[in-house]
Amino acid sequence: LPVGLGWALVFTPSLGTVGRYFPAQRALATGLAVSGASVSGLALGPLVPLLLDTYGWRGALLLLAAISFNLVAAGALLRPLPVLSESPGPPRDRPGLAQLLRHGPFLRYALAFVLVDAGYYVPFVHGEARAHEVGCDERRAGLVMAAMAAVDGGGRVAAGWLAARPATPLLRHLFTWAVLTGLTLLLLPLGTSFGGLLALALVYGFCAGALVPLQFAGVAEVVGARRLVHAIGLMQMFESFGSLLGAPFAGWLRDVTGTYTISFLAAGAFLLAGSLLILTLPGFFYTSRGTGSKEGGRAPAPDGPEDRPIPCEP
């Protein structure tokens, strides 16, 4: 419980701060920031067994805790940005969770990622078991999982870079990657050999990684950058239900059917259902971006829409 709380207290404000620091290149900056998770995941894979063998589980946990304490120094480097548009006078309305709970587009966006997360983690949790199911030994099964994790980081950076191009609104990029991830997940049961499964795992890892920075950058498209930290925290609370239920549900389907085929098909269906909700968001069908905004939608008014009270839209 304390570990999960600490992770939440670090992850949410970090992403919110990155989004506030780089409004013109929000997707790319977020992609670079979250790509570190893939690098650390690959590094800790071989490191943790070595620590366990050398120091035992208590010593390994102490060393991992010492590594995590470096987040304190990193967090100390973050500074709030001045709000230049504010003028002297009575305090203005501040963003609140209650306002977000009445904001229709945000609630649809959060629900979209509840559905996405219900399928997203299934290959990462059950991929090794699926590899054994098609006849892979321990080494090849581990290679499939390592390859999927490796290309995940590349997908995060690539999607952020592509979304920074001014030709297409960010929400369309997000929809495209969500659909590609869902379709690849639907195709995973076709990987009935090591080579086929490895190829599909590489494609899935790249597409799944591409979703991550666009998901968090897209929050600002829906509610505005000024409410980014509140919205990211609330969205992650909602989507945790999908994350918690998706992998066990896939495991239950495997027990019932005797194969992972239905598990992956159901996971892909969840992803595609979530992507359809993105179509309902305001700004998705804008044909061009405003000259004052590189993050999609219309250019903000001189005072910026992020400084106005959040509307309660249906």
Side-chain angles (χ1 to χ4, degrees):
L1 182 61
V3 174
L5 178 62
W7 168 254
L9 292 175
V10 170
F11 189 75
T12 300
S14 297
L15 284 181
T17 302
V18 169
R20 294 292 299 274
Y21 279 1
F22 304 99
Q25 300 287 336
R26 184 175 293 122
L28 178 58
T30 305
L32 291 171
V34 297
S35 65
S38 299
V39 176
S40 62
L42 288 173
L44 289 176
L47 177 62
V48 170
L50 178 63
L51 294 178
L52 289 172
D53 292 340
T54 306
Y55 301 104
W57 68 269
R58 289 185 176 88
L61 287 178
L62 288 174
L63 288 171
L64 291 175
I67 295 173
S68 298
F69 268 118
N70 287 280
L71 292 170
V72 176
L77 299 175
L78 301 178
R79 292 291 185 271
L81 294 177
V83 183
L84 301 178
S85 60
E86 289 191 352
S87 56
R92 307 176 70 166
D93 291 336
R94 295 293 180 182
L97 298 181
Q99 292 175 315
L100 289 170
L101 289 172
R102 300 194 303 270
H103 190 260
F106 169 73
L107 292 177
R108 294 197 297 275
Y109 191 81
L111 178 58
F113 281 96
V114 171
L115 295 170
V116 166
D117 279 20
Y120 182 94
Y121 293 102
V122 170
F124 294 104
V125 174
H126 296 288
E128 186 172 1
R130 170 61 179 173
H132 291 312
E133 187 178 70
V134 300
C136 296
D137 56 19
E138 289 290 340
R139 183 183 66 83
R140 289 188 171 186
L143 181 59
V144 169
M145 300 305 296
M148 188 162 54
V151 298
D152 176 276
R156 298 181 185 208
V157 177
W161 179 79
L162 288 172
R165 307 303 94 192
T168 306
L170 186 143
L171 290 178
R172 294 190 191 175
H173 284 270
L174 177 60
F175 171 78
T176 301
W177 286 112
V179 170
L180 289 174
T181 307
L183 291 176
T184 307
L185 190 44
L186 291 176
L187 294 175
L188 273 177
L190 299 179
T192 56
S193 64
F194 169 70
L197 185 61
L198 178 61
L200 288 169
L202 286 170
V203 176
Y204 180 80
F206 189 88
C207 294
L211 270 180
V212 177
L214 302 188
Q215 171 189 354
F216 296 109
V219 176
E221 299 291 310
V222 178
V223 302
R226 185 167 167 266
R227 306 172 181 93
L228 196 54
V229 175
H230 295 77
I232 288 177
L234 191 57
M235 178 186 67
Q236 288 190 291
M237 184 188 74
F238 287 145
E239 66 178 312
S240 64
F241 292 103
S243 305
L244 290 171
L245 295 176
F249 180 65
W252 176 78
L253 289 175
R254 166 64 175 81
D255 293 338
V256 170
T257 63
T259 177
Y260 276 108
T261 298
I262 301 300
S263 301
F264 287 131
L265 292 178
F270 279 127
L271 268 157
L272 293 178
S275 68
L276 292 178
L277 280 176
I278 298 173
L279 294 173
T280 71
L281 298 174
F284 182 87
F285 292 102
Y286 291 157
T287 56
S288 62
R289 296 185 178 189
T291 57
S293 172
K294 292 185 179 181
E295 289 300 326
R298 299 168 182 162
D303 290 335
E306 297 162 5
D307 294 323
R308 300 178 190 143
I310 189 169
C312 301
E313 302 181 35

